[in-house]
Amino acid sequence: MGQLPYKLPTIVRGKKYWHVAYFYEYPDIPGKYKKFQVKDGVNYVRDLDQREVEIQTLRKDIEIALKRGFNPFMSEQRIESQFFAEETILNLEEDRARVKPWTMIEGMKEFKKNCNQRNLSDNTIRTYNSFINNIEEWLIASENTEIKASEFSSDHALEFLNIYLAGEKLGSRSQEKLTSRTYNNHCVFFGTLFNRISKLEKKRIKDIRYSIDLDDLELKKDRAEKNRYYAPAIATKIKTELANHPDLYNYIKWIFYSCMRPREISLLQVQHIDLESRQIKAIAPTAKTGDRYVPICDELHDLIRKMKLTELPSGYYVFGKDGKPSPEKIYKDHFSGLYRSVKKKFKLDDKYTLYGWKHTRVVNLLAAGFTDPEVMSLTGHRDYQSFMAYRRELMVDTTTMKGKTMDF
């Protein structure tokens, strides 16, 4: 068997863009190769785990094509006939006329089916389904159920984001404003969705072209300013004042030491605390990231003992009615109402929240030299990329020079 006219494709992960690179021998210059780079939309996928799946799929597709005889120097017509002959597709023109382009709803259905076939994590599929449900609701409400996926434009996407998602969808529930993170997550999903379904549909209709220009979907600035980190000087003043509010003080200590969310702690029962194993079970849907185990540090262990929680019935809420251990649940805004008076005394704005004590704990741990995996065991992040995004939002940088450098 003679030498192959190509070199197998490799993945190049650049700082800005990823692509698959391969080399193919010039037809008239034996031994000399031309480099080809293929992006095929993978950089629209901003989630790094998902982009890795896409780039690996692209590399594999190119490798298979090369092994089947694909030659990048051949004309498009010659390439098509080469592949069609190998795949033994009969009556192609008749098949094309019979196959209809997918509607958006059909395309998203095929996307969901493909996600299951690729064995994506349950958490990823659950997130994708949530985005798809929102888009389907808008398609129905706006009477756009018959719009073709290939004809879906950036104008349609912006109408969904800026009018439906920010107005009718959220307004019907709680009149809350569309956060930058929610907006950005849906923008990113549009990239993931169309990158995938366009490839899937091209397997059915080779010459189909998609209209959407994803460059028109600009991300909004998103910083973790809503739950601001407490600098040491501010934290010390607040802790001094909290001595006058013991139940609120214990509640904030729980947020700080466990890095659990206020909602999780409000629904936490004594039965979920295992002092022997030194862990707490946060149960879905209470826990934002699903079922997870939170380690009990020495300080939290001492607090649990001090509150005598292990002496209480297993069904008691750690913070129940009136903010004390009780068989009855706590009123939703009990502690936030108490905390408002503390913030008012020190003239702190609404960006200082109870949840901000979790962020403060994370910043303190990283600054003290704890590793990312150690801190991740507290925060509940499922993957390193999402944790690093969280770090960036907090604007935590532990690499800068903090000690003495040199005199002037």
Side-chain angles (χ1 to χ4, degrees):
M1 186 175 180
Q3 184 177 351
L4 295 173
Y6 61 85
K7 298 179 182 178
L8 289 176
T10 58
I11 296 172
V12 180
R13 301 176 184 82
K15 289 184 178 180
K16 290 187 176 180
Y17 303 106
W18 292 12
H19 66 271
V20 174
Y22 70 96
F23 293 83
Y24 206 97
E25 189 174 40
Y26 282 95
D28 301 325
I29 313 176
K32 188 173 181 180
Y33 295 81
K34 179 178 179 179
K35 182 179 181 180
F36 293 88
Q37 297 181 357
V38 184
K39 299 175 184 175
D40 202 20
V42 296
N43 295 293
Y44 287 123
V45 182
R46 293 180 173 85
D47 180 86
L48 295 183
D49 283 342
Q50 184 59 32
R51 188 188 296 182
E52 183 65 31
V53 172
E54 299 292 342
I55 198 78
Q56 291 288 356
T57 301
L58 178 59
R59 185 205 62 76
K60 186 176 180 180
D61 288 346
I62 294 174
E63 181 177 339
I64 291 172
L66 290 169
K67 288 180 178 179
R68 289 180 176 177
F70 171 70
N71 184 340
F73 290 102
M74 297 170 65
S75 68
E76 184 176 350
Q77 183 178 4
R78 176 69 184 91
I79 292 170
E80 286 191 354
S81 62
Q82 177 181 341
F83 275 102
F84 295 152
E86 188 159 340
E87 295 294 336
T88 64
I89 299 178
L90 303 175
N91 302 320
L92 181 61
E93 293 303 323
E94 181 182 341
D95 289 344
R96 280 181 175 173
R98 188 168 59 247
V99 176
K100 293 182 179 180
W102 285 333
T103 64
M104 271 296 292
I105 290 178
E106 290 170 339
M108 291 189 293
K109 183 178 179 180
E110 294 298 324
F111 173 84
K112 290 165 71 172
K113 187 189 302 182
N114 182 259
C115 287
N116 289 322
Q117 291 172 347
R118 289 186 290 146
N119 293 320
L120 299 184
S121 71
D122 291 341
N123 193 50
T124 297
I125 290 176
R126 187 164 52 247
T127 301
Y128 286 170
N129 285 342
S130 175
F131 294 143
I132 287 172
N133 289 340
N134 286 340
I135 297 170
E136 284 187 349
E137 285 182 17
W138 169 71
L139 289 169
I140 294 170
S142 59
E143 299 182 350
N144 276 319
T145 53
E146 295 304 314
I147 187 172
K148 295 180 177 62
S150 56
E151 296 176 358
F152 194 89
S153 67
S154 57
D155 287 339
H156 290 118
L158 290 170
E159 180 183 338
F160 163 76
L161 291 166
N162 295 322
I163 299 177
Y164 181 72
L165 194 64
E168 294 180 26
K169 173 66 177 173
L170 293 179
S172 63
R173 292 194 311 230
S174 61
Q175 301 298 322
E176 60 182 309
K177 292 181 180 179
L178 177 66
T179 65
S180 295
R181 179 175 293 186
T182 301
Y183 182 97
N184 291 345
N185 286 343
H186 281 80
C187 277
V188 171
F189 177 69
F190 273 123
T192 302
L193 175 67
F194 282 102
N195 181 57
R196 175 56 52 182
I197 63 174
S198 62
K199 290 179 181 177
L200 293 174
E201 189 158 24
K202 281 179 182 178
K203 293 179 181 179
R204 301 170 65 248
I205 307 174
K206 198 73 176 177
D207 56 355
I208 195 165
R209 295 290 182 267
Y210 271 63
S211 302
I212 191 166
D213 184 355
L214 295 169
D215 288 336
D216 290 341
L217 306 183
E218 296 183 2
L219 299 183
K220 295 183 178 181
K221 291 184 178 179
D222 179 20
R223 296 293 182 192
E225 278 290 300
K226 169 58 182 166
N227 303 290
R228 185 178 287 167
Y229 153 78
Y230 290 87
I234 298 173
T236 299
K237 291 179 181 179
I238 293 176
K239 284 185 281 186
T240 301
E241 175 63 23
L242 288 173
N244 301 318
H245 308 274
D247 293 332
L248 176 59
Y249 201 3
N250 285 338
Y251 184 74
I252 290 175
K253 285 179 181 178
W254 264 88
I255 295 173
F256 184 81
Y257 290 136
S258 69
C259 281
M260 294 171 69
R261 298 166 182 84
R263 173 69 172 163
E264 295 173 355
I265 297 173
S266 296
L267 297 178
L268 181 68
Q269 293 177 297
V270 172
Q271 62 184 321
H272 301 140
I273 301 172
D274 186 348
L275 278 186
E276 263 189 55
S277 302
R278 296 190 65 132
Q279 61 185 12
I280 299 166
K281 186 174 183 179
I283 303 173
T286 303
K288 181 180 178 182
T289 52
D291 287 1
R292 65 187 179 98
Y293 287 92
V294 178
I296 298 176
C297 63
D298 287 349
E299 296 86 352
L300 183 55
H301 189 281
D302 292 341
L303 179 59
I304 292 170
R305 290 288 192 190
K306 184 178 179 182
M307 294 176 67
K308 299 181 180 180
L309 295 177
T310 55
E311 301 175 16
L312 298 173
S314 62
Y316 267 49
Y317 292 94
V318 174
F319 293 95
K321 187 177 180 181
D322 298 325
K324 301 180 185 296
S326 167
E328 299 180 53
K329 290 183 182 179
I330 190 174
Y331 173 64
K332 181 181 177 182
D333 297 323
H334 176 79
F335 282 123
S336 58
L338 291 176
Y339 195 51
R340 198 172 294 116
S341 63
V342 176
K343 292 196 299 180
K344 186 176 181 181
K345 181 173 182 178
F346 298 106
K347 298 180 180 179
L348 300 179
D349 59 36
D350 288 340
K351 292 178 181 178
Y352 285 99
T353 65
L354 290 169
Y355 194 29
W357 288 102
K358 175 197 171 183
H359 299 332
T360 303
R361 172 71 157 170
V362 171
V363 172
N364 290 355
L365 288 172
L366 292 171
F370 284 82
T371 65
D372 289 342
E374 287 173 325
V375 179
M376 279 178 64
S377 70
L378 280 174
T379 62
H381 288 90
R382 294 292 184 92
D383 58 81
Y384 187 65
Q385 284 77 18
S386 61
F387 176 74
M388 290 305 294
Y390 173 65
R391 275 189 57 153
R392 287 192 294 272
E393 287 172 355
L394 291 176
M395 294 175 278
V396 178
D397 183 5
T398 57
T399 65
T400 55
M401 294 178 288
K402 295 179 179 178
K404 183 176 181 180
T405 54
M406 62 174 59
D407 293 329
F408 176 70

